[in-house]
Amino acid sequence: MSDAMDGRADGHGRVYQASGDQHIIEHHHHGDASPAAWASTESVRQPTGGRAPVVLRDRTELMERLRAAVASDAFHQIYVLHGMGGCGKTAVARAVFQFASTEGSRVGLWVNAADRTTLRSGMLAVAADRGATEGELLAARNGLRASADLVWERLDRSAEPWLLVLDNADDPASLRDGSWLRTSPRGTVLVTTRQAAPRWWPHAELHHVGVLPRDAAAQVLYDLAPETGTMDEAAEIADRLGRLPLALTLAGGFLSHQVIDPWTMTRYGSHLAGHEPVDLIDRGANALTDSGSRHLVSQTWQLSLEALAAQGFPESTVLLRLMACYGADPLPLTLLNSPELNDVLPRSRAETALRGLLDQSLTTLVDVGVRCVQTHGVLLASVAVGTPHGQATKSARTAARLLDAGVPAIPEPGPQDLRLRLLSPHVLALLRHATDVSVVTEALDVAVRLAIALHRTGDYLSAWELASDAAAVAQPVLGAEHRLVLSSYARAGRALFRLGRYEESEALHRRVLLDRERLFGPDDPDTLDSYEGTSDPLFELSRVSEGLALLRHAAMGRQRVLGPTHPLTLGARALLLSRVPPSELAAEVDSTALPLPQECALELGPDHTVTLQARLNYANALNRLGRFEAAIEDARLVVEEYQRRYGPDFPMTLSAQTLYASIRAALGDVNLAVELMATVVDTRERILGAQHPFTAFSRRRLDEFRAKADHQSPDGQP
């Protein structure tokens, strides 16, 4: 949004504040100066995707094949389970996961691969589980190193053999685009997907998972509700439900939890409407489609909700319809503990409503590092289709307000919050479901703020994906010229810049700038934000005069429109300190009676992000002017502050330390400069690798200091 703040630093200690999102520039490559390491990594040691079946029926031959694969020392294998939604692919994967983790003596690693952001986050959590450091994870999240390479490097070096499950990989392009799917000498990969085309799985062993045979389907239902009928009656219901495991699980959950007025299987069967399921089975199991599975599932959840209402829990229906506005990914429970829930459901009844859904097997609790509720995608799609229009609109409005309450109005730099990352697929799901303009508008506003929040943790890839996807989904409803659509594209442009994709960033920023100038005028805060955003890639593309003109336009416009003490105005002035040429730098530094860092501290407070950035930029400006004595103390204090806030491995800490070392060397304390730079080199080599440009730059600077030290006399004199 237009009140965001950005900041960055280069390898010479050059740092600047644009709109509160920090990053590093070195050698025309970008890293992170976001204020967080990977502070909240999700759990990958337990499966998600619903509760495990009581007993996994049928699948005997498939399970024997997969058990043998994980029981042996054979690695370098990929197995793909494919089939329609609700057919039990995840249940098979859970059974294999459990076997591998116990009898197979392997580490089980489970990743939800439903979308790009969830996949990458889960895979980086795998890297963390296999020993990746916070610095390495931070570098991967902000594009300083290839995320997939880090993950597979750690998997290949794992001390223990492993089984990696990639669940819900229904968009195989996400796996291919990031090179996420590989083989390893230390483990086995198991994928579940609806996509069976061999072109997606060229090196994998494919296994189809379909509906169950009649006897096995009947046994599933009987396992769940043995007191409610006979095996023959269970078989009849199984036929009516297409022998689809998900539908059978929902039916069994219903039958096993009726206490006040227990149902028999015969009674349940009499309430199943229509004959289409039988017709589908008559045509053969392979004829059953995802739309057919939704139809089968709809019969089960409708009966379950009717029973809950009869027992005095009509709120369960309301809650399930609300949850159908979101996606099938884990949904943080904190989202449902908000006053905004009162719009459709008394908050005091939320616990009871959720308990009813859990008892009926309509949803399940999962813990991925944050306690969540998760509902099968086929069930959600079926509920969404079956919700009357008026109720669907009301549910969508509440869903948007709950997300709005869960995302900060002005995201601040800070540690990664896993709860925020978990909201990304649900914001996009709501945007795809919603048709009401007001709902789409509110959801897009949330998406923009969430992209800013992700950006400020240094997760630039996730920020770019969310912002660009949200804009593309909302544009057909709101129009290409809507302010929020343009804001979303502007956020995508900033993320592209952080990822070093300067040409793409400049083109996107330029397009947004032209639209904002035309629609809102040159002094609109969003237009001023675009002037600054467009200037960033121009400097990196060596179009310095053009970039400087835009940056000055932004700084002067903000001072005129927002006032001289607004954080964005002060941030733009700090940014100018790093961008003006040396011939103009003295005038910029000496243009006010009060130095910029002191002015920022007075107006914003000494701990404000803009103040810290201004102190570092100002110290570097003094360094560039040769005023080393004036710069040294601020440079030292800034290094200490970055270390205190973000730790010694944080990229901005290393950039600040590089500046401090340079000033020390200029003042003749070369031995300390060598010591400081040696630490920087060692840290960057460990995090980024020996060949990374940041590492190479730091090593050259270290060599310069060492050469200078070699020419000094023992008393420190040349």
Side-chain angles (χ1 to χ4, degrees):
M1 303 290 284
S2 59
D3 58 355
M5 292 178 294
D6 296 278
R8 54 185 79 79
D10 75 357
H12 299 275
R14 180 166 57 94
V15 184
Y16 58 89
Q17 176 72 30
S19 306
D21 303 320
Q22 305 172 25
H23 69 280
I24 294 172
I25 304 173
E26 277 186 276
H27 237 49
H28 303 292
H29 296 269
H30 289 260
D32 181 339
S34 66
W38 192 280
S40 184
T41 304
E42 62 195 276
S43 170
V44 291
R45 287 297 190 97
Q46 57 184 354
T48 59
R51 62 185 65 180
V54 177
V55 178
L56 187 67
R57 296 297 177 182
D58 192 52
R59 321 299 192 197
T60 305
E61 183 178 344
L62 175 58
M63 284 302 301
E64 288 178 354
R65 175 74 182 99
L66 296 175
R67 284 196 189 103
V70 297
S72 69
D73 291 332
F75 302 117
H76 284 294
Q77 293 293 320
I78 300 174
Y79 299 90
V80 174
L81 307 180
H82 63 90
M84 65 181 177
C87 67
K89 304 181 296 296
T90 297
V92 173
R94 290 180 71 111
V96 178
F97 184 94
Q98 180 64 26
F99 175 82
S101 301
T102 54
E103 300 176 56
S105 300
R106 295 199 186 195
V107 173
L109 304 166
W110 189 284
V111 171
N112 180 7
D115 61 77
R116 293 178 297 178
T117 301
T118 303
L119 169 65
R120 182 173 55 256
S121 178
M123 291 296 276
L124 287 175
V126 165
D129 184 272
R130 296 294 84 201
T133 66
E134 290 185 352
E136 290 172 321
L137 295 166
L138 183 62
R141 284 192 295 126
N142 62 41
L144 284 174
R145 66 183 301 168
S147 299
D149 289 348
L150 171 64
V151 174
W152 284 100
E153 173 189 316
R154 286 291 172 176
L155 286 171
D156 290 345
R157 293 165 52 190
S158 174
E160 304 157 292
W162 46 262
L163 169 70
L164 171 63
V165 176
L166 300 177
D167 192 32
N168 295 321
D170 296 329
D171 180 14
S174 296
L175 294 174
R176 176 176 292 181
D177 291 347
S179 190
W180 290 112
L181 187 59
R182 308 182 190 181
T183 60
S184 171
R186 297 298 296 148
T188 302
V189 181
L190 179 62
V191 180
T192 73
T193 181
R194 299 185 192 186
Q195 303 298 326
R199 71 179 186 277
W200 293 117
W201 321 108
H203 305 295
E205 183 177 301
L206 275 66
H207 295 275
H208 178 253
V209 180
V211 298
L212 293 168
R214 191 173 195 265
D215 290 347
Q219 189 66 60
V220 167
L221 187 57
Y222 190 80
D223 288 340
L224 293 168
E227 305 297 326
T228 63
T230 67
M231 282 291 294
D232 288 341
E233 290 169 334
E236 291 181 10
I237 294 176
D239 283 341
R240 297 292 297 274
L241 294 177
R243 306 199 298 267
L244 185 73
L246 174 60
L248 295 168
T249 300
L250 296 176
F254 171 90
L255 289 167
S256 63
H257 285 90
Q258 303 310 305
V259 178
I260 298 175
D261 183 19
W263 283 43
T264 64
M265 289 188 187
T266 299
R267 181 181 176 187
Y268 189 88
S270 68
H271 281 75
L272 290 175
H275 302 286
E276 184 178 348
V278 176
D279 295 338
L280 286 168
I281 292 301
D282 288 342
R283 294 200 300 270
N286 289 336
L288 192 58
T289 63
D290 281 322
S291 61
S293 67
R294 287 195 297 271
H295 178 80
L296 297 175
V297 168
S298 71
Q299 299 180 86
T300 59
W301 64 257
Q302 286 170 356
L303 288 176
S304 296
L305 293 178
E306 288 170 6
L308 286 169
Q311 294 168 17
F313 306 117
E315 298 90 351
S316 292
T317 299
V318 177
L319 182 58
L320 186 58
R321 285 171 172 166
L322 175 67
M323 290 162 59
C325 297
Y326 299 130
D329 298 84
L331 181 72
L333 282 171
T334 52
L335 198 73
L336 302 178
N337 187 27
S338 172
E340 284 73 14
L341 189 65
N342 289 317
D343 291 347
V344 295
L345 169 68
R347 191 177 172 189
S348 60
R349 298 285 291 173
E351 181 77 24
T352 303
L354 180 58
R355 179 53 57 190
L357 297 179
L358 292 168
D359 287 345
Q360 297 288 333
S361 300
L362 293 170
T363 192
T364 189
L365 295 176
V366 297
D367 192 332
V368 294
V370 170
R371 293 181 67 244
C372 295
V373 63
Q374 188 169 21
T375 312
H376 199 288
V378 172
L379 173 58
L380 291 175
S382 178
V383 172
V385 170
T387 303
H389 176 72
Q391 294 173 0
T393 300
K394 186 175 182 180
S395 296
R397 288 193 183 118
T398 302
R401 289 168 186 161
L402 289 170
L403 288 169
D404 180 70
V407 178
I410 302 177
E412 293 291 335
Q416 187 206 24
D417 187 339
L418 179 57
R419 289 170 297 180
L420 290 178
R421 205 277 301 154
L422 290 171
L423 294 182
S424 290
H426 299 295
V427 173
L428 291 172
L430 179 58
L431 281 169
R432 294 185 181 106
H433 293 330
T435 56
D436 184 85
V437 171
S438 64
V439 174
V440 174
T441 301
E442 188 165 3
L444 183 57
D445 180 73
V446 173
V448 171
R449 296 196 333 260
L450 184 55
I452 294 173
L454 293 171
H455 191 121
R456 289 177 182 173
T457 68
D459 194 350
Y460 301 139
L461 281 168
S462 294
W464 168 65
E465 289 168 353
L466 175 59
S468 55
D469 289 350
V473 173
Q475 183 171 321
V477 178
L478 302 181
E481 296 182 344
H482 193 279
R483 185 180 287 271
L484 280 171
V485 172
L486 293 173
S487 293
S488 196
Y489 280 125
R491 293 310 311 177
R494 286 192 179 275
L496 286 171
F497 173 65
R498 303 303 188 266
L499 294 169
R501 295 160 62 174
Y502 306 129
E503 292 83 0
E504 295 173 76
S505 176
E506 192 270 337
L508 185 54
H509 273 304
R510 181 74 66 180
R511 192 187 85 198
V512 173
L513 172 58
L514 293 175
D515 285 339
R516 282 174 164 174
E517 279 183 323
R518 175 173 54 84
L519 295 168
F520 313 135
D523 284 342
D524 183 88
D526 282 355
T527 308
L528 295 173
D529 183 70
S530 276
Y531 287 132
E532 181 182 288
T534 308
S535 75
D536 287 338
L538 289 174
F539 283 107
E540 304 311 316
L541 294 170
S542 300
R543 294 158 63 181
V544 176
S545 60
E546 189 178 354
L548 192 58
L550 288 174
L551 181 55
R552 281 183 166 141
H553 195 140
M556 290 186 293
R558 283 174 174 168
Q559 183 162 342
R560 184 171 58 253
V561 174
L562 303 176
T565 62
H566 192 281
L568 289 176
T569 304
L570 294 172
R573 288 175 56 195
L575 175 55
L576 277 168
L577 286 178
S578 68
R579 291 304 200 189
V580 296
S583 59
E584 303 175 32
L585 187 57
E588 196 73 40
V589 168
D590 300 329
S591 60
T592 58
L594 189 66
L596 182 60
Q598 295 180 34
E599 188 176 349
C600 290
L602 181 65
E603 299 295 341
L604 306 177
D607 295 329
H608 197 281
T609 304
V610 172
T611 303
L612 183 59
Q613 297 297 311
R615 287 170 62 192
L616 186 51
N617 279 23
Y618 193 79
N620 186 60
L622 295 176
N623 175 55
R624 293 168 63 197
L625 291 170
R627 304 177 190 178
F628 306 120
E629 293 287 356
I632 189 64
E633 183 63 11
D634 239 352
R636 181 185 67 81
L637 292 174
V638 168
V639 171
E640 291 179 357
E641 184 64 16
Y642 274 119
Q643 288 177 332
R644 183 186 68 81
R645 291 192 190 189
Y646 313 131
D649 292 353
F650 187 64
M652 191 74 93
T653 304
L654 299 176
S655 288
Q657 189 159 311
T658 300
L659 170 63
Y660 182 52
S662 299
I663 298 173
R664 278 292 181 190
L667 290 172
D669 194 352
V670 184
N671 290 331
L672 178 57
V674 168
E675 181 181 335
L676 292 170
M677 280 309 303
T679 301
V680 173
V681 171
D682 290 345
T683 303
R684 284 184 166 156
E685 188 167 296
R686 170 171 51 83
I687 293 173
L688 304 175
Q691 305 307 314
H692 194 281
F694 287 22
T695 308
F697 170 83
S698 299
R699 191 179 296 111
R700 288 195 300 272
R701 182 56 59 91
L702 175 59
D703 290 342
E704 292 173 10
F705 294 162
R706 282 175 171 163
K708 190 172 183 178
D710 290 342
H711 287 84
Q712 272 191 347
S713 63
D715 62 359
Q717 298 300 316

